[in-house]
PDB file of all heavy atoms in Angstrom:
ATOM      1  N   GLN A 247      33.804  59.349  39.482  1.00 75.00           N
ATOM      2  CA  GLN A 247      34.541  60.100  40.494  1.00 75.00           C
ATOM      3  C   GLN A 247      33.566  60.698  41.490  1.00 75.00           C
ATOM      4  O   GLN A 247      32.493  61.147  41.142  1.00 75.00           O
ATOM      5  CB  GLN A 247      35.348  61.214  39.824  1.00 75.00           C
ATOM      6  CG  GLN A 247      36.435  60.697  38.894  1.00 75.00           C
ATOM      7  CD  GLN A 247      37.279  61.825  38.333  1.00 75.00           C
ATOM      8  OE1 GLN A 247      37.822  62.618  39.069  1.00 75.00           O
ATOM      9  NE2 GLN A 247      37.376  61.897  37.012  1.00 75.00           N
ATOM     10  N   GLY A 248      33.977  60.731  42.747  1.00 75.00           N
ATOM     11  CA  GLY A 248      33.133  61.304  43.786  1.00 75.00           C
ATOM     12  C   GLY A 248      32.421  60.256  44.616  1.00 75.00           C
ATOM     13  O   GLY A 248      31.914  60.556  45.688  1.00 75.00           O
ATOM     14  N   GLY A 249      32.377  59.012  44.143  1.00 79.00           N
ATOM     15  CA  GLY A 249      31.743  57.947  44.904  1.00 79.00           C
ATOM     16  C   GLY A 249      32.641  57.447  46.019  1.00 79.00           C
ATOM     17  O   GLY A 249      33.868  57.587  45.968  1.00 79.00           O
ATOM     18  N   VAL A 250      32.030  56.826  47.033  1.00 85.00           N
ATOM     19  CA  VAL A 250      32.797  56.310  48.162  1.00 85.00           C
ATOM     20  C   VAL A 250      33.748  55.210  47.726  1.00 85.00           C
ATOM     21  O   VAL A 250      34.875  55.091  48.230  1.00 85.00           O
ATOM     22  CB  VAL A 250      31.831  55.790  49.251  1.00 85.00           C
ATOM     23  CG1 VAL A 250      32.602  55.187  50.420  1.00 85.00           C
ATOM     24  CG2 VAL A 250      30.927  56.909  49.743  1.00 85.00           C
ATOM     25  N   ILE A 251      33.317  54.406  46.772  1.00 88.00           N
ATOM     26  CA  ILE A 251      34.096  53.232  46.357  1.00 88.00           C
ATOM     27  C   ILE A 251      34.994  53.506  45.149  1.00 88.00           C
ATOM     28  O   ILE A 251      35.794  52.654  44.749  1.00 88.00           O
ATOM     29  CB  ILE A 251      33.141  52.060  46.054  1.00 88.00           C
ATOM     30  CG1 ILE A 251      33.857  50.712  46.191  1.00 88.00           C
ATOM     31  CG2 ILE A 251      32.486  52.218  44.693  1.00 88.00           C
ATOM     32  CD1 ILE A 251      32.932  49.531  46.068  1.00 88.00           C
ATOM     33  N   SER A 252      34.894  54.696  44.558  1.00 87.00           N
ATOM     34  CA  SER A 252      35.652  55.017  43.345  1.00 87.00           C
ATOM     35  C   SER A 252      37.167  54.888  43.509  1.00 87.00           C
ATOM     36  O   SER A 252      37.842  54.309  42.654  1.00 87.00           O
ATOM     37  CB  SER A 252      35.304  56.418  42.851  1.00 87.00           C
ATOM     38  OG  SER A 252      33.941  56.509  42.548  1.00 87.00           O
ATOM     39  N   PRO A 253      37.779  55.427  44.612  1.00 88.00           N
ATOM     40  CA  PRO A 253      39.239  55.319  44.752  1.00 88.00           C
ATOM     41  C   PRO A 253      39.750  53.886  44.769  1.00 88.00           C
ATOM     42  O   PRO A 253      40.760  53.575  44.129  1.00 88.00           O
ATOM     43  CB  PRO A 253      39.522  56.033  46.075  1.00 88.00           C
ATOM     44  CG  PRO A 253      38.377  56.954  46.259  1.00 88.00           C
ATOM     45  CD  PRO A 253      37.197  56.250  45.694  1.00 88.00           C
ATOM     46  N   ILE A 254      39.055  53.001  45.487  1.00 92.00           N
ATOM     47  CA  ILE A 254      39.543  51.621  45.560  1.00 92.00           C
ATOM     48  C   ILE A 254      39.389  50.913  44.217  1.00 92.00           C
ATOM     49  O   ILE A 254      40.228  50.101  43.822  1.00 92.00           O
ATOM     50  CB  ILE A 254      38.837  50.834  46.698  1.00 92.00           C
ATOM     51  CG1 ILE A 254      39.517  49.482  46.881  1.00 92.00           C
ATOM     52  CG2 ILE A 254      37.362  50.670  46.426  1.00 92.00           C
ATOM     53  CD1 ILE A 254      39.006  48.711  48.086  1.00 92.00           C
ATOM     54  N   LEU A 255      38.339  51.246  43.451  1.00 91.00           N
ATOM     55  CA  LEU A 255      38.180  50.653  42.119  1.00 91.00           C
ATOM     56  C   LEU A 255      39.299  51.117  41.188  1.00 91.00           C
ATOM     57  O   LEU A 255      39.809  50.328  40.377  1.00 91.00           O
ATOM     58  CB  LEU A 255      36.821  51.009  41.536  1.00 91.00           C
ATOM     59  CG  LEU A 255      35.596  50.380  42.202  1.00 91.00           C
ATOM     60  CD1 LEU A 255      34.315  50.841  41.517  1.00 91.00           C
ATOM     61  CD2 LEU A 255      35.680  48.858  42.188  1.00 91.00           C
ATOM     62  N   ALA A 256      39.687  52.387  41.285  1.00 90.00           N
ATOM     63  CA  ALA A 256      40.779  52.899  40.450  1.00 90.00           C
ATOM     64  C   ALA A 256      42.098  52.207  40.804  1.00 90.00           C
ATOM     65  O   ALA A 256      42.904  51.876  39.924  1.00 90.00           O
ATOM     66  CB  ALA A 256      40.904  54.409  40.627  1.00 90.00           C
ATOM     67  N   ASN A 257      42.339  51.994  42.096  1.00 92.00           N
ATOM     68  CA  ASN A 257      43.562  51.309  42.507  1.00 92.00           C
ATOM     69  C   ASN A 257      43.573  49.849  42.049  1.00 92.00           C
ATOM     70  O   ASN A 257      44.627  49.306  41.682  1.00 92.00           O
ATOM     71  CB  ASN A 257      43.710  51.370  44.029  1.00 92.00           C
ATOM     72  CG  ASN A 257      44.486  52.591  44.490  1.00 92.00           C
ATOM     73  OD1 ASN A 257      45.331  53.102  43.769  1.00 92.00           O
ATOM     74  ND2 ASN A 257      44.187  53.063  45.676  1.00 92.00           N
ATOM     75  N   ILE A 258      42.398  49.220  42.069  1.00 93.00           N
ATOM     76  CA  ILE A 258      42.304  47.832  41.583  1.00 93.00           C
ATOM     77  C   ILE A 258      42.633  47.782  40.090  1.00 93.00           C
ATOM     78  O   ILE A 258      43.317  46.866  39.618  1.00 93.00           O
ATOM     79  CB  ILE A 258      40.907  47.261  41.865  1.00 93.00           C
ATOM     80  CG1 ILE A 258      40.703  47.056  43.364  1.00 93.00           C
ATOM     81  CG2 ILE A 258      40.709  45.928  41.140  1.00 93.00           C
ATOM     82  CD1 ILE A 258      39.293  46.662  43.746  1.00 93.00           C
ATOM     83  N   ALA A 259      42.125  48.786  39.341  1.00 92.00           N
ATOM     84  CA  ALA A 259      42.385  48.820  37.895  1.00 92.00           C
ATOM     85  C   ALA A 259      43.872  48.939  37.591  1.00 92.00           C
ATOM     86  O   ALA A 259      44.381  48.341  36.636  1.00 92.00           O
ATOM     87  CB  ALA A 259      41.603  49.971  37.262  1.00 92.00           C
ATOM     88  N   LEU A 260      44.606  49.722  38.396  1.00 93.00           N
ATOM     89  CA  LEU A 260      46.033  49.953  38.153  1.00 93.00           C
ATOM     90  C   LEU A 260      46.922  48.950  38.887  1.00 93.00           C
ATOM     91  O   LEU A 260      48.151  49.019  38.779  1.00 93.00           O
ATOM     92  CB  LEU A 260      46.413  51.376  38.571  1.00 93.00           C
ATOM     93  CG  LEU A 260      45.761  52.498  37.763  1.00 93.00           C
ATOM     94  CD1 LEU A 260      46.102  53.851  38.359  1.00 93.00           C
ATOM     95  CD2 LEU A 260      46.186  52.450  36.306  1.00 93.00           C
ATOM     96  N   HIS A 261      46.306  48.059  39.626  1.00 93.00           N
ATOM     97  CA  HIS A 261      47.076  47.046  40.354  1.00 93.00           C
ATOM     98  C   HIS A 261      47.733  46.073  39.368  1.00 93.00           C
ATOM     99  O   HIS A 261      47.116  45.618  38.411  1.00 93.00           O
ATOM    100  CB  HIS A 261      46.149  46.271  41.287  1.00 93.00           C
ATOM    101  CG  HIS A 261      46.819  45.122  41.979  1.00 93.00           C
ATOM    102  ND1 HIS A 261      47.804  45.275  42.931  1.00 93.00           N
ATOM    103  CD2 HIS A 261      46.657  43.772  41.830  1.00 93.00           C
ATOM    104  CE1 HIS A 261      48.198  44.095  43.352  1.00 93.00           C
ATOM    105  NE2 HIS A 261      47.533  43.161  42.698  1.00 93.00           N
ATOM    106  N   GLY A 262      48.996  45.757  39.597  1.00 92.00           N
ATOM    107  CA  GLY A 262      49.724  44.814  38.756  1.00 92.00           C
ATOM    108  C   GLY A 262      50.819  45.442  37.919  1.00 92.00           C
ATOM    109  O   GLY A 262      51.690  44.744  37.406  1.00 92.00           O
ATOM    110  N   LEU A 263      50.806  46.765  37.792  1.00 93.00           N
ATOM    111  CA  LEU A 263      51.823  47.442  36.980  1.00 93.00           C
ATOM    112  C   LEU A 263      53.207  47.315  37.606  1.00 93.00           C
ATOM    113  O   LEU A 263      54.210  47.072  36.912  1.00 93.00           O
ATOM    114  CB  LEU A 263      51.440  48.914  36.785  1.00 93.00           C
ATOM    115  CG  LEU A 263      52.352  49.763  35.912  1.00 93.00           C
ATOM    116  CD1 LEU A 263      52.581  49.108  34.550  1.00 93.00           C
ATOM    117  CD2 LEU A 263      51.775  51.167  35.739  1.00 93.00           C
ATOM    118  N   GLU A 264      53.286  47.470  38.920  1.00 93.00           N
ATOM    119  CA  GLU A 264      54.582  47.328  39.595  1.00 93.00           C
ATOM    120  C   GLU A 264      55.106  45.910  39.483  1.00 93.00           C
ATOM    121  O   GLU A 264      56.307  45.685  39.253  1.00 93.00           O
ATOM    122  CB  GLU A 264      54.448  47.732  41.074  1.00 93.00           C
ATOM    123  CG  GLU A 264      55.770  47.664  41.830  1.00 93.00           C
ATOM    124  CD  GLU A 264      55.645  48.114  43.278  1.00 93.00           C
ATOM    125  OE1 GLU A 264      54.586  48.664  43.650  1.00 93.00           O
ATOM    126  OE2 GLU A 264      56.602  47.903  44.044  1.00 93.00           O
ATOM    127  N   PHE A 265      54.216  44.914  39.624  1.00 94.00           N
ATOM    128  CA  PHE A 265      54.628  43.519  39.483  1.00 94.00           C
ATOM    129  C   PHE A 265      55.148  43.237  38.068  1.00 94.00           C
ATOM    130  O   PHE A 265      56.113  42.495  37.887  1.00 94.00           O
ATOM    131  CB  PHE A 265      53.456  42.588  39.787  1.00 94.00           C
ATOM    132  CG  PHE A 265      53.036  42.581  41.223  1.00 94.00           C
ATOM    133  CD1 PHE A 265      51.716  42.365  41.579  1.00 94.00           C
ATOM    134  CD2 PHE A 265      53.952  42.805  42.245  1.00 94.00           C
ATOM    135  CE1 PHE A 265      51.314  42.354  42.915  1.00 94.00           C
ATOM    136  CE2 PHE A 265      53.577  42.801  43.580  1.00 94.00           C
ATOM    137  CZ  PHE A 265      52.258  42.578  43.909  1.00 94.00           C
ATOM    138  N   ARG A 266      54.514  43.861  37.071  1.00 94.00           N
ATOM    139  CA  ARG A 266      54.961  43.676  35.673  1.00 94.00           C
ATOM    140  C   ARG A 266      56.361  44.244  35.485  1.00 94.00           C
ATOM    141  O   ARG A 266      57.211  43.621  34.811  1.00 94.00           O
ATOM    142  CB  ARG A 266      53.968  44.360  34.729  1.00 94.00           C
ATOM    143  CG  ARG A 266      54.388  44.361  33.267  1.00 94.00           C
ATOM    144  CD  ARG A 266      54.391  42.956  32.694  1.00 94.00           C
ATOM    145  NE  ARG A 266      54.882  42.921  31.327  1.00 94.00           N
ATOM    146  CZ  ARG A 266      56.163  42.782  30.986  1.00 94.00           C
ATOM    147  NH1 ARG A 266      57.112  42.684  31.946  1.00 94.00           N
ATOM    148  NH2 ARG A 266      56.523  42.741  29.726  1.00 94.00           N
ATOM    149  N   LEU A 267      56.636  45.406  36.052  1.00 94.00           N
ATOM    150  CA  LEU A 267      57.972  46.004  35.927  1.00 94.00           C
ATOM    151  C   LEU A 267      59.013  45.199  36.710  1.00 94.00           C
ATOM    152  O   LEU A 267      60.177  45.106  36.286  1.00 94.00           O
ATOM    153  CB  LEU A 267      57.937  47.448  36.429  1.00 94.00           C
ATOM    154  CG  LEU A 267      57.147  48.438  35.568  1.00 94.00           C
ATOM    155  CD1 LEU A 267      57.153  49.819  36.196  1.00 94.00           C
ATOM    156  CD2 LEU A 267      57.708  48.508  34.151  1.00 94.00           C
TER     157      LEU A 267
END
Side-chain angles (χ1 to χ4, degrees):
Q247 295 184 55
V250 177
I251 203 173
S252 300
I254 189 173
L255 291 180
N257 270 332
I258 291 172
L260 295 174
H261 174 68
L263 182 52
E264 182 178 349
F265 292 149
R266 174 67 184 89
L267 291 178

